[in-house]
Amino acid sequence: MKVDGKPYRTIWLREGDDRVVQVIDQLRLPHAFEIAELISVADMCRAIKNMTVRGAGLIGASAGFGMYLAALEAPEQDFHDFMRQAAADLKATRPTAANLAWAVERMLAAIAVGTTPAQKRRLARDAAVALADEDAEHFRHLGEHGMALIADIARRKPGKPVNILTHCNAGWLAFVDFGSATAPIYAAHEAGIPVHVWVDETRPRNQGASLTAWELGQHGVPHTLITDNAGGHLMQHGLVDMVITGADRVTRSGDVANKIGTYLKALAARDNGIPMYVALPSSTFDFSLGDGVASIPIEERGAEEVRFISGKASHGGIESVQICPDTTPARNWGFDVTPARLVTKLICERGICDANEAAIFALFPQEK
Ligand code: MRU
């Protein structure tokens, strides 16, 4: 996608020195657009944990490049053990997004084909680049499938914008390019279908306010920032035509783990007869799991993310301020699970399907 007219991905190898991975530093957005450089698997683990890079797809692509950096670092005589440890360290960074372990396993399989460390390093580089390219390509298809749903609503309200509510950031910043929930929105916008997006701020990290609002603004898509608690009210007043969110892990039965608060949006959407769509690439499915509420690991992050909020101060600098009494304890679950019964359809790169086991396996028969 373009930033100030220049095309960017969220992660890439530095031109002229492919031993360095460059990423858009998402801790600095929307106030500054800066590139961070990572040169070791420890750098990559840190970047995933502190959310310099974040979002299910980008976490997967970052894990791919993390394994490549590990291959560059691994000593000749200890190559195998070093790579095993790197894989374990990367997998331990953030537990919920299925893309992380999926990417690490894919890298291990790609590297296993090589017979010498030098060959394995080349294979690791190629596999990491291919994984990122694939991520970017998937969303062209997903965007086209999802756009049909938006076009359908647009036909029923000629001349008026389709109002879409989204939660968190499932845009191109959460992937390598294009994004999942935003792909249909960008496709519709480019096709001249009038759209307007309600952007949930998404406490505590405010990915909606900081990232989705920034992305949509860069792309010229009309949008309005709302508090996390406003969605139900807007739905009751006919101001939301559809909800589209992303996903961090979807079980074979169609249960959806996504950013904390998604479940409440799904409940409100059901109560108001509004369709709730979830957009995801195939790498976000966890076909091994059935009941998502019981089995999807939910990341719990530090209490300071709830107790403090950061933003741009009037003097222009970025500041963090405490929003509760000094001694107030807090808990911080990063994700929740929306049961399949509340999901109207899943939008994938292969097409659109109902959120149930039969429909999901009809789209992905090789996973049965
Ligand atoms: O905690 P984050 O910012 O990594 O959140 C993950 C997500 O990006 C969202 O839950 C998103 O909706 C999933 S789609 C990548």
Side-chain angles (χ1 to χ4, degrees), residues 64-290:
F65 282 111
M67 289 295 283
Y68 164 58
L69 291 173
L72 293 179
E73 287 178 85
E76 297 272 322
Q77 56 302 5
D78 219 7
F79 193 89
H80 182 74
D81 289 350
F82 190 94
M83 292 307 290
R84 282 271 151 210
Q85 187 57 50
D89 291 347
L90 282 163
K91 278 187 185 176
T93 52
R94 296 194 70 193
T96 301
N99 308 57
L100 175 60
W102 170 85
V104 169
E105 288 305 324
R106 196 169 131 156
M107 290 298 294
L108 286 172
I111 294 166
V113 176
T115 48
T116 64
Q119 203 181 10
K120 285 173 186 284
R121 283 186 194 108
R122 277 195 299 278
L123 287 166
R125 182 193 183 286
D126 293 349
V129 170
L131 203 144
D133 286 348
E134 214 176 89
D135 181 279
E137 198 45 44
H138 277 163
F139 296 109
R140 291 186 192 281
H141 303 298
L142 192 153
E144 283 158 23
H145 298 309
M147 182 177 72
L149 299 168
I150 300 176
D152 201 37
I153 294 175
R155 269 192 293 276
R156 282 183 262 135
K157 47 184 306 200
K160 294 205 182 114
V162 177
N163 285 305
I164 303 163
L165 185 141
T166 193
H167 190 66
C168 194
N169 172 261
W172 72 274
L173 290 167
F175 292 90
V176 174
D177 215 344
F178 297 108
S180 58
T182 51
I185 297 171
Y186 290 138
H189 179 67
E190 267 151 37
I193 299 170
V195 289
H196 166 263
V197 184
W198 296 111
V199 179
D200 279 356
E201 59 178 349
T202 318
R203 281 280 290 145
R205 295 284 300 223
N206 292 316
Q207 291 95 328
S210 303
L211 305 177
T212 305
W214 180 80
E215 264 193 37
L216 293 172
Q218 286 286 328
H219 210 68
V221 177
H223 61 282
T224 306
L225 180 64
I226 54 173
T227 62
D228 286 334
N229 300 324
H233 170 74
L234 297 180
M235 291 181 201
Q236 285 175 324
H237 290 270
L239 295 170
V240 179
D241 295 304
M242 65 201 301
V243 178
I244 311 182
T245 72
D248 294 87
R249 191 184 292 240
V250 176
T251 67
R252 64 171 183 275
S253 56
D255 291 344
V256 172
N258 193 52
K259 183 51 59 191
I260 192 86
T262 303
Y263 173 46
L264 294 177
K265 294 297 130 84
L267 284 170
R270 175 56 55 95
D271 193 45
N272 289 279
I274 292 164
M276 164 85 196
Y277 296 109
V278 174
L280 71 154
S282 48
S283 49
T284 299
F285 278 105
D286 183 340
F287 296 104
S288 72
L289 299 183

